């Protein structure tokens, strides 16, 4: 089917997964085991089941999948409402990040029905029955749905995401024309939720060296900033078979971005900039 | 409580939903590998031509066998798919067609065109052959 | 699930506690290369579009005629030269593409370097054999 916006959920229910078993290639500590099925709500007419990835570091046990049942008539409209309802009423140990509940902070990014999105802006009407909820892919799990973002943020730090200028600091603001400011559109909206990076197959295989779509989009943001004076150095730092060129334009990033941004396009523009200065 | 236990890694390909973007991308790679094998046979075929009638007749017999025909069909599809999707990639490299709607439209077009070209080539090849 | 997060950037020792997250993210720094590979991959691709269409159409026209027809077709100098150019572009493109596949999936240094060397050598050998054979067919 034709997808025109990353908001759209595919109408096709199958295939749900690649032909790979759930634990294939997983290290012993990462293997997922069967979990608990929690009781059904009493007297509910509309029930939504959620299969949620659980991991408790203190239990000494492997991750498992728990199934929760929610009474839709006694729950808010979004997946985040359902998770909060579970934490409040069913199982207070369920752990997840959340803050703004309106899609501007990026805390509640998770893998919902097999693709990454923010739980606070994913309507319960749009998810499968039963729906699956996993932490963002390919991260060390701290607890339940909370992934360790240390590496992703270190990769972000490695591109030096701050203004690097050589002319002495002016006594007032550094001015930009409206046109110069417009070049940051599509970059500055990124909330660093890492939905794209953790949904990128290239980052799954080579995430230690490939910077990933979120960080490369941020790199683009500084390359096109009219006030930044380190464009050449930035391109030098990026031009690497792994840091940048591991991007094979798979475009899972653009498909999944909950802010509707286009990391794939921005990475292509970085590659073109490098080509531009070579010829 | 500090634990020395390694943290588990959250699953990726095991649970990520196949989407047109990733499926066509891995298909591009698979057809690329198939074509690499096929190009070895292209060279072998050229050598057979240079070697003379007997070697060529053997290669021809093998190509007309059941297995040979099936592989040939596979290579023809692989060739057209890799070619069409390659053009799609070249357009992206020039910063064209990056809107999500265009990505999906060009993706389905590539699938349709490569199937049509495969069938066309196969029919033309069979019509004149034997 | 790739276990890259447990690798040291030097890919030799298990990650030590000393290695900070930033040290691991920076790794060995930028190789300041990759653009050349990217450019050649695109250039050979552009060349292959018309060349492969030519190959398919030509094979449809000549391959059914048996050895004599094929040898006659390949015996024409223009055809032999076009075929040689095609093979150069094809194996060059193949070499670049297979290299990326190996780099993507093979992470043990020794195996990786051996596989990359094998890819390069096999592609160059096939290119040489193919080019020599097609020129031989026309200019013997």
């Amino acid at each position: 089917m034709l997808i025109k916006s990353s908001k759209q959920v595919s109408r096709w229910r199958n295939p749900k997964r690649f032909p790979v078993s759930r634990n294939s290639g997983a290290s012993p500590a990462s293997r997922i085991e069967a979990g608990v099925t929690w009781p059904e709500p009493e007297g509910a007419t509309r029930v939504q089941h959620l299969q949620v990835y659980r991991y408790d570091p203190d239990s000494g046990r492997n991750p498992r999948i728990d199934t929760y049942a929610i009474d839709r008539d006694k729950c808010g409209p979004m997946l985040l409402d359902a998770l909060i309802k579970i934490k409040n009423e069913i199982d207070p140990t369920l752990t997840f990040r959340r803050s703004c509940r309106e899609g501007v902070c990026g805390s509640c990014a998770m893998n919902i029905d097999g693709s990454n999105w923010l739980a606070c802006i994913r309507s319960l009407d749009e998810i499968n029955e039963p729906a699956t909820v996993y932490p963002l892919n390919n991260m060390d799990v701290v607890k339940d749905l909370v992934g360790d973002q240390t590496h992703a943020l270190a990769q972000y730090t490695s591109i030096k995401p701050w203004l690097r200028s050589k002319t002495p600091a002016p006594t007032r603001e550094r001015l930009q024309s409206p046109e110069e400011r417009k070049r940051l559109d599509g970059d500055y909206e990124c909330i660093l939720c890492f939905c794209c990076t953790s949904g990128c197959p290239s980052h799954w295989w080579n995430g230690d060296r490939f910077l990933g779509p979120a960080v490369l989009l941020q790199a683009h943001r500084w390359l096109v900033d009219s006030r930044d004076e380190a464009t050449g150095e930035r391109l030098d730092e990026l031009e690497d078979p792994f840091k940048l060129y591991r991007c094979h334009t798979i475009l899972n990033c653009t498909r999944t971005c909950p802010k509707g941004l286009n990391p794939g396009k921005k990475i292509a523009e970085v590659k073109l900039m490098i080509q531009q200065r070579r010829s | 409580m500090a634990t020395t236990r390694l943290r588990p890694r959250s699953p990726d390909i095991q649970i990520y939903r196949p989407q047109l973007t990733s499926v066509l991308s891995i298909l591009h790679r698979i057809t690329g590998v198939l074509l690499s094998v096929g190009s070895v046979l292209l060279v072998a075929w050229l050598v057979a031509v240079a070697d003379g009638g007997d070697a060529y007749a053997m290669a021809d017999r093998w190509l007309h066998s059941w297995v040979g025909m099936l592989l040939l069909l596979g290579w023809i599809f692989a060739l057209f798919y890799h070619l069409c999707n390659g053009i799609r990639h070249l357009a992206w490299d020039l910063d064209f067609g990056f809107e999500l709607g265009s990505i999906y439209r060009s993706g389905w077009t590539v699938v349709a065109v490569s199937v049509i070209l495969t069938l066309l080539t196969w029919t033309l090849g069979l019509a004149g052959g034997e | 699930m790739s276990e890259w997060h447990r690798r040291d950037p030097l890919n030799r020792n298990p990650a030590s506690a000393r290695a900070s997250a930033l040290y691991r993210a920076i790794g060995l720094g930028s190789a300041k290369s990759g653009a050349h590979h990217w450019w050649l991959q695109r250039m050979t691709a552009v060349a292959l579009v018309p060349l492969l269409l030519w190959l398919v159409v030509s094979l449809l026209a000549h391959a059914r005629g048996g050895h004599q027809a094929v040898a006659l077709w390949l015996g024409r100098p223009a055809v032999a030269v076009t075929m040689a150019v095609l093979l150069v572009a094809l194996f060059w493109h193949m070499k670049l593409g297979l290299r990326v596949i190996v780099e993507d999936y093979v992470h043990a240094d020794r195996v990786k370097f051996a596989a990359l060397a094998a890819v390069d050598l096999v592609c160059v050998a096939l290119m040489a054999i193919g080019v020599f054979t097609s020129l031989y067919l026309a200019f013997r």
Side-chain angles (χ1 to χ4, degrees):
Chain A
M1 78 172 260
L2 204 61
I3 302 287
K4 293 197 181 103
S5 139
S6 59
K7 278 196 195 73
Q8 259 172 285
V9 178
S10 175
R11 271 186 279 111
W12 291 356
R13 286 297 152 102
N14 288 303
K16 285 191 172 62
R17 296 191 279 133
F18 281 98
V20 176
S21 84
R22 189 168 351 237
N23 279 323
S24 69
S27 64
S30 306
R31 298 183 70 84
I32 301 168
E33 293 168 355
V36 184
T37 300
W38 294 77
E40 299 277 321
E42 278 172 36
T45 48
R46 290 197 302 155
V47 181
Q48 171 71 51
H49 291 85
L50 295 177
Q51 297 173 340
V52 184
Y53 179 99
R54 303 296 314 277
Y55 169 68
D56 177 8
D58 297 333
S59 71
R61 290 173 47 204
N62 268 34
R64 60 179 203 270
I65 304 293
D66 278 4
T67 306
Y68 298 96
I70 304 288
D71 183 350
R72 283 289 312 272
D73 295 320
K74 292 179 184 160
C75 181
M78 297 299 179
L79 177 63
L80 184 63
D81 297 321
L83 292 174
I84 292 173
K85 188 180 169 69
I86 292 171
K87 193 171 175 68
N88 284 345
E89 298 171 16
I90 304 174
D91 178 4
T93 66
L94 179 66
T95 305
F96 50 91
R97 290 193 180 103
R98 92 280 180 278
S99 178
C100 74
R101 58 99 186 93
E102 57 183 4
V104 297
C105 79
S107 299
C108 62
M110 49 187 76
N111 185 287
I112 305 158
D113 282 335
S115 61
N116 298 338
W117 195 261
L118 304 174
C120 60
I121 51 171
R122 174 61 83 219
S123 162
L124 287 171
D125 293 334
E126 295 170 321
I127 63 176
N128 292 343
E129 169 52 35
T132 59
V133 181
Y134 282 80
L136 285 181
N137 319 97
N138 198 28
M139 285 187 179
D140 275 347
V141 180
V142 177
K143 192 178 182 188
D144 295 347
L145 300 174
V146 178
D148 184 355
Q149 300 196 334
T150 307
H151 179 66
L153 291 169
Q155 287 190 308
Y156 179 47
T157 310
S158 78
I159 63 154
K160 303 185 186 161
W162 51 77
L163 190 76
R164 283 193 258 170
S165 90
K166 285 163 195 120
T167 45
T171 50
R172 49 170 299 176
E173 302 91 330
R174 295 167 204 267
L175 295 178
Q176 268 189 321
S177 70
E179 293 73 39
E180 287 166 342
R181 167 60 188 76
K182 216 173 157 52
R183 298 194 67 190
L184 304 183
D185 287 353
D187 283 342
Y188 84 92
E189 298 95 324
C190 173
I191 55 176
L192 285 171
C193 63
F194 294 110
C195 276
C196 56
T197 293
S198 90
C200 170
S202 224
H203 200 267
W204 297 343
W205 316 136
N206 288 291
D208 53 343
R209 301 172 74 183
F210 176 45
L211 292 174
V215 170
L216 288 172
L217 177 123
Q218 291 292 338
H220 180 270
R221 181 242 174 279
W222 290 102
L223 283 169
V224 297
D225 192 314
S226 60
R227 299 161 297 183
D228 190 83
E229 291 163 355
T231 312
E233 284 97 315
R234 290 184 189 279
L235 288 179
D236 282 346
E237 289 155 15
L238 287 176
E239 191 192 335
D240 180 85
F242 280 83
K243 284 182 191 297
L244 169 67
Y245 288 101
R246 252 341 81 176
C247 165
H248 304 320
T249 332
I250 300 168
L251 296 179
N252 270 12
C253 49
T254 300
R255 172 69 186 91
T256 208
C257 178
K259 302 300 283 183
L261 307 182
N262 204 331
K265 180 181 164 72
K266 302 299 176 178
I267 299 172
E269 286 171 8
V270 174
K271 290 174 184 164
L272 275 180
M273 279 178 92
I274 289 181
Q275 199 46 48
Q276 213 175 4
R277 72 168 183 173
R278 292 177 79 237
S279 46
Chain B
M1 184 170 78
T3 54
T4 48
R5 192 186 150 87
L6 286 177
R7 281 176 180 162
R9 197 71 167 164
S10 54
D12 41 59
I13 190 162
Q14 299 86 350
I15 59 144
Y16 209 88
R17 205 190 147 99
Q19 294 161 334
L20 193 70
T21 47
S22 52
V23 170
L24 294 192
S25 175
I26 194 64
L27 193 59
H28 194 74
R29 180 157 280 191
I30 292 168
T31 52
V33 172
L34 277 178
L35 289 169
S36 301
V37 179
S39 60
V40 177
L41 275 115
L42 176 68
V43 169
W45 182 79
L46 279 174
V47 171
V49 175
D51 200 46
D54 287 347
Y56 185 86
M58 205 171 79
D60 209 44
R61 250 200 320 284
W62 184 78
L63 273 180
H64 280 85
S65 72
W66 195 79
V67 184
M69 293 286 258
L70 204 68
L71 284 174
L72 208 56
L73 183 66
W75 277 318
I76 294 173
F77 175 74
L79 174 72
F80 283 124
Y81 176 78
H82 203 84
L83 192 75
C84 296
N85 202 45
I87 292 170
R88 184 165 169 248
H89 269 279
L90 286 172
W92 284 336
D93 291 330
L94 294 170
D95 207 1
F96 285 118
F98 263 117
E99 295 319 304
L100 207 48
S102 316
I103 292 170
Y104 270 76
R105 234 174 294 122
S106 62
W108 286 118
T109 310
V110 160
V111 173
V113 170
S114 43
V115 168
I116 291 169
L117 284 176
T118 305
L119 293 177
L120 191 72
T121 309
W122 193 248
T123 330
L124 283 175
L126 278 188
E130 310 312 313
Chain C
M1 255 172 280
S2 174
E3 293 288 312
W4 51 257
H5 56 300
R6 313 230 186 276
R7 287 203 301 265
D8 182 78
L10 281 166
N11 220 357
R12 296 197 183 102
N13 314 307
S16 61
R18 180 185 63 81
S20 71
L22 188 57
Y23 164 88
R24 289 155 61 78
I26 293 169
L28 301 183
S30 162
K32 295 197 173 57
S33 77
H36 188 56
H37 178 287
W38 183 87
W39 176 249
L40 281 177
Q41 181 96 57
R42 270 70 193 166
M43 281 307 99
T44 49
V46 168
L48 280 168
V49 173
L51 286 168
L52 285 173
L53 290 175
W54 166 82
L55 182 70
V56 171
V57 171
S58 305
L59 284 179
L60 279 176
H62 299 284
R64 63 183 66 144
H67 180 252
Q68 260 195 327
V70 171
L72 201 67
W73 169 62
L74 284 170
R76 282 151 54 190
V79 172
V81 171
T82 315
M83 184 65 95
V85 172
L86 181 144
L87 290 169
V88 170
L90 181 73
F91 284 109
W92 207 343
H93 190 79
M94 176 171 147
K95 182 165 100 82
L96 298 170
L98 290 178
R99 161 173 271 273
V100 173
I101 296 181
V102 170
E103 285 174 345
D104 269 3
Y105 301 130
V106 183
H107 294 114
D109 270 345
R110 281 159 202 261
V111 187
K112 177 161 75 176
F113 295 151
L116 289 177
V119 163
D120 284 3
L121 290 172
V122 168
C123 288
V124 170
L126 285 169
M127 190 196 290
I129 297 170
V131 168
F132 176 77
T133 310
S134 35
L135 294 180
Y136 168 83
L137 279 165
F139 305 105
R140 58 180 142 176

